[in-house]
Amino acid sequence: MFDGYDSCSEDTSSSSSSEESEEEVAPLPSNLPIIKNNGQVYTYPDGKSGMATCEMCGMVGVRDAFYSKTKRFCSVSCSRSYSSNSKKASILARLQVTGKPPTKKAKVLQKQPLVAKLAAYAQYQATLQNQAKTKSVAVSMEGFSWGNYINSNSFIAAPVTCFKHAPMGTCWGDISENVRVEVPNTDCSLPTKVFWIAGIVKLAGYNALLRYEGFENDSGLDFWCNICGSDIHPVGWCAASGKPLVPPRTIQHKYTNWKAFLVKRLTGAKTLPPDFSQKVSESMQYPFKPCMRVEVVDKRHLCRTRVAVVESVIGGRLRLVYEESEDRTDDFWCHMHSPLIHHIGWSRSIGHRFKRSDITKKQDGHFDTPPHLFAKVKEVDQSGEWFKEGMKLEAIDPLNLSTICVATIRKVLADGFLMIGIDGSEAADGSDWFCYHATSPSIFPVGFCEINMIELTPPRGYTKLPFKWFDYLRETGSIAAPVKLFNKDVPNHGFRVGMKLEAVDLMEPRLICVATVTRIIHRLLRIHFDGWEEEYDQWVDCESPDLYPVGWCQLTGYQLQPPASQSSRESQSGSSKQKKKAKSQQYKGHKKMTTLQLKEELIDGEDYNFLQGASDQESNGSANFYIKQEP
């Protein structure tokens, strides 16, 4: 049935008086090291003292893990089944004494040992399959493996601490390379689940490349796993849980005293906190529940909101179904901390457009989400100098997130919210205006793109090229929004150019894709979707809840979209390219105006340090460029 340590026969069932011929279990090799529950290492002189065979199902395993005082059974169920079968056997014996022919039930009972063996064999096959799954790369999604992808290209992933909204993002601690953990030992043919100690060789988000202790510089059995998975434990967990530690078969011959080896290797080593699994579980509890009602942006008319109901919650991401959708297919995906969702009554409170529902009363079971569950925006003082209608600025186009465009404040709402339109692309009725808060990292002062060497998309149809803000403001009779009103905070986010992550495609927010940080401008990240053209890149804030560490999809059970191949790009992007064709062909402006010219023509010198570029700061992403310097 298995070949444990190359010495066990293929049939490990116990010898019995059954009609079928059975092979005897070959003894285990001498000096087989088993680390018992108390952490001590024993070397057994023969197989009998260290291993045991279940008298019910024939399973072979570590004797200390068996049940009953005599260690005769591998589980409580086998012990009870054996007792039950003993009673059945006595009944059969009495039937035979009477001389009566055996009944159909008696014939079935006579065959019970064979049935038990078949069940045991099926259980053993399932165990082997589970071990194979554990040994294989657990982070694969539809053929894509983060581990293989990172190893083969020497990629680096963004650390979990970059994602405060993600599980363990705020309590990751100092988990790093060389941290030791206890993991299932897959280099073992024992039918029971055993463990061994491994060290972290490389971290990639939640995923860790592990190497069993004792392999030194041999990477032959290195494997990737999710460090937040249920099979990863701190050193000492096996001793506390009564689980056996068994060294991998490949290296069992290397040491005669495994206890001394482990003591030497683990002295002074770091491991996971003892409550690590509890913290993981707690960080994956989400306050939003199905049937909660929210106000969310209308995906067909960005200028207004609609009522939607939470249909499901996955890793903090909400599938919202618009309340008027009868077949429940008209949905919208976003994170629970997204700036696009609000409590019921929010639109009315700030003066935002709202589409009233045709449903006159709440459906059964639906209830309004408590307001305190939504992301809080920074309080602002609108009593002094503030944004005004008609002021010009630069803004990320929500309909084409790869571009930053010339924009205008169209309406000032309450609580610091602004309605903004993209110059040259606005509908006459304002149906394509969109709402940003004054502290939003998606709006910028005039001149931001020029100084930071980002292509600024001029108004559609604007013919006086190259585009110059000074000329445009004069031609339109407009003024630029004051630089000091914009968000000046730049957190030490930790992102670096080239880091891998998992990112939402905000143009199709149900999809989460393999992505790369390709540029960093202060707190603004340029996200590239691996395998796709640059025209599909998106500008995203470093604290966006739509960015996740490598391994997030595998941890939460969400489907990850692998890098697109050329054939899939051609088949999937045809319609999208047609929609973007007009924008991709329009002129985006040259970078001919020098920094000095812009400084002299457009802005006061005191605001210059706010705008000044981060081209030389892209490597660390934490430039303190907003601080005004004294002359």
Side-chain angles (χ1 to χ4, degrees):
M1 191 180 294
F2 73 101
D3 78 359
Y5 292 97
D6 294 328
S7 299
C8 295
S9 64
E10 298 206 3
D11 189 343
T12 61
S13 57
S14 60
S15 57
S16 65
S17 57
S18 169
E19 294 181 0
E20 290 81 20
S21 61
E22 299 179 0
E23 297 181 13
E24 294 292 331
V25 178
L28 290 169
S30 60
N31 298 326
L32 174 63
I34 303 292
I35 299 182
K36 295 183 66 177
N37 301 344
N38 58 6
Q40 295 182 337
V41 184
Y42 293 85
T43 301
Y44 297 106
D46 52 48
K48 293 183 179 179
S49 60
M51 309 298 289
T53 303
C54 180
E55 295 183 15
M56 179 61 201
C57 68
M59 282 289 184
V60 177
V62 180
R63 179 181 296 275
D64 290 340
F66 272 45
Y67 291 81
S68 80
K69 292 182 180 180
T70 55
K71 306 296 183 183
R72 296 167 58 194
F73 308 105
C74 67
S75 64
V76 175
S77 60
C78 279
S79 176
R80 292 174 178 172
S81 298
Y82 185 89
S83 176
S84 176
N85 284 353
S86 297
K87 294 179 181 178
K88 295 173 183 176
S90 64
I91 295 173
L92 286 174
R94 287 197 296 271
L95 288 173
Q96 290 174 354
V97 170
T98 60
K100 296 180 181 179
T103 62
K104 184 176 181 181
K105 181 177 181 180
K107 291 180 179 179
V108 173
L109 291 176
Q110 281 182 319
K111 295 181 180 180
Q112 183 66 26
L114 178 60
V115 174
K117 291 172 186 175
L118 292 175
Y121 180 75
Q123 182 181 357
Y124 175 71
Q125 290 291 88
T127 301
L128 290 182
Q129 291 177 1
N130 288 336
Q131 290 179 346
K133 289 179 181 178
T134 304
K135 188 174 182 179
S136 63
V137 181
V139 295
S140 60
M141 289 279 183
E142 295 186 349
F144 173 76
S145 163
W146 262 121
N148 293 339
Y149 191 56
I150 288 175
N151 273 351
S152 59
N153 298 281
S154 299
F155 290 141
I156 298 175
V160 174
T161 52
C162 290
F163 310 88
K164 305 303 182 186
H165 59 281
M168 300 299 292
T170 58
C171 53
W172 188 247
D174 57 352
I175 299 174
S176 58
E177 296 177 5
N178 297 320
V179 165
R180 307 302 205 283
V181 293
E182 293 179 352
V183 294
N185 178 4
T186 58
D187 185 26
C188 176
S189 296
L190 295 176
T192 55
K193 191 174 186 178
V194 295
F195 292 79
W196 190 240
I197 296 171
I200 297 178
V201 178
K202 184 176 183 178
L203 267 179
Y206 293 118
N207 296 338
L209 180 63
L210 299 180
R211 181 175 301 167
Y212 289 120
E213 283 295 336
F215 276 82
E216 309 300 338
N217 296 323
D218 182 2
S219 61
L221 285 184
D222 288 3
F223 60 99
W224 285 89
C225 69
N226 195 302
I227 206 71
C228 294
S230 59
D231 273 338
I232 311 300
H233 308 281
V235 172
W237 177 85
C238 285
S241 305
K243 303 294 183 181
L245 281 172
V246 178
R249 178 174 55 182
T250 304
I251 59 169
Q252 68 175 31
H253 63 280
K254 290 183 65 175
Y255 301 95
T256 57
N257 190 338
W258 283 97
K259 177 181 178 181
F261 168 79
L262 288 181
V263 169
K264 182 179 179 181
R265 292 288 295 174
L266 298 181
T267 299
K270 293 182 179 180
T271 187
L272 300 178
D275 59 347
F276 183 76
S277 61
Q278 179 182 349
K279 287 183 176 179
V280 172
S281 178
E282 291 174 354
S283 67
M284 295 182 67
Q285 301 300 315
Y286 307 104
F288 281 79
K289 308 297 180 184
C291 297
M292 284 184 170
R293 300 171 75 241
V294 301
E295 287 185 11
V296 63
V297 65
D298 187 339
K299 63 183 181 181
R300 294 182 180 84
H301 300 279
L302 299 184
C303 66
R304 68 186 185 188
T305 58
R306 296 172 60 183
V307 173
V309 179
V310 177
E311 179 76 10
S312 59
V313 183
I314 303 179
R317 301 201 78 227
L318 312 178
R319 178 178 180 259
L320 302 172
V321 176
Y322 290 114
E323 198 168 47
E324 293 175 303
S325 176
E326 295 182 358
D327 59 0
R328 307 195 70 76
T329 59
D330 190 6
D331 61 358
F332 183 81
W333 281 91
C334 68
H335 193 270
M336 63 182 184
H337 294 153
S338 170
L340 300 178
I341 60 171
H342 311 276
H343 61 85
I344 299 297
W346 173 83
S347 297
R348 176 182 294 180
S349 68
I350 70 162
H352 193 283
R353 288 190 190 179
F354 175 75
K355 181 184 179 183
R356 296 188 179 278
S357 174
D358 294 335
I359 301 175
T360 57
K361 62 179 181 179
K362 299 178 187 176
Q363 299 182 15
D364 292 340
H366 294 176
F367 58 99
D368 295 351
T369 306
H372 71 272
L373 296 185
F374 296 88
K376 302 294 188 298
V377 294
K378 185 177 179 180
E379 294 185 3
V380 294
D381 181 13
Q382 297 183 226
S383 59
E385 186 177 8
W386 191 243
F387 293 99
K388 294 182 175 59
E389 292 183 15
M391 283 183 173
K392 299 295 182 180
L393 69 163
E394 299 175 1
I396 297 175
D397 184 353
L399 296 178
N400 185 5
L401 294 164
S402 67
T403 62
I404 299 178
C405 306
V406 173
T408 303
I409 297 174
R410 293 303 179 188
K411 188 176 182 182
V412 178
L413 308 178
D415 296 340
F417 288 95
L418 310 170
M419 295 302 295
I420 296 174
I422 300 298
D423 285 22
S425 304
E426 299 176 66
D429 59 356
S431 59
D432 55 357
W433 295 353
F434 48 93
C435 184
Y436 279 145
H437 193 263
T439 61
S440 169
S442 297
I443 58 174
F444 317 96
V446 163
F448 177 86
C449 286
E450 184 71 24
I451 292 180
N452 288 291
M453 294 180 289
I454 301 173
E455 286 186 316
L456 175 67
T457 302
R460 183 178 299 173
Y462 188 74
T463 58
K464 192 174 180 181
L465 303 174
F467 178 84
K468 291 186 178 183
W469 263 117
F470 183 80
D471 293 339
Y472 185 69
L473 292 175
R474 184 176 54 195
E475 293 167 5
T476 57
S478 307
I479 61 173
V483 174
K484 62 183 180 182
L485 298 181
F486 292 84
N487 186 1
K488 302 176 178 62
D489 298 332
V490 181
N492 186 14
H493 47 70
F495 286 103
R496 302 290 183 271
V497 171
M499 282 183 170
K500 297 293 179 181
L501 69 163
E502 298 176 2
V504 176
D505 179 357
L506 294 170
M507 303 309 295
E508 187 64 46
R510 65 184 177 84
L511 302 180
I512 296 183
C513 312
V514 173
T516 307
V517 178
T518 57
R519 194 174 179 193
I520 301 173
I521 306 295
H522 314 319
R523 63 179 300 146
L524 192 63
L525 309 180
R526 180 80 171 179
I527 301 298
H528 173 73
F529 298 104
D530 291 19
W532 293 88
E533 292 83 359
E534 290 184 2
E535 65 179 293
Y536 296 99
D537 290 359
Q538 297 178 0
W539 288 108
V540 181
D541 182 59
C542 65
E543 294 183 340
S544 169
D546 296 307
L547 304 178
Y548 304 99
V550 165
W552 182 89
C553 283
Q554 191 261 339
L555 175 63
T556 61
Y558 204 95
Q559 184 176 357
L560 176 67
Q561 304 297 317
S565 60
Q566 183 175 357
S567 58
S568 64
R569 288 199 303 268
E570 292 174 352
S571 61
Q572 295 179 26
S573 64
S575 59
S576 298
K577 285 185 177 180
Q578 291 299 323
K579 293 178 182 178
K580 288 195 174 186
K581 187 174 182 181
K583 287 191 175 182
S584 63
Q585 289 181 345
Q586 73 183 38
Y587 180 81
K588 295 185 178 181
H590 294 298
K591 299 184 286 294
K592 288 186 177 179
M593 182 182 290
T594 66
T595 299
L596 181 60
Q597 287 175 323
L598 184 61
K599 177 182 177 182
E600 292 175 346
E601 293 183 5
L602 187 62
I603 57 178
D604 293 332
E606 64 176 9
D607 289 326
Y608 178 68
N609 291 314
F610 169 74
L611 292 170
Q612 191 167 13
S615 57
D616 57 337
Q617 303 289 351
E618 290 187 8
S619 60
N620 59 31
S622 60
N624 210 8
F625 56 90
Y626 283 148
I627 300 177
K628 185 191 299 184
Q629 298 177 0
E630 296 297 331

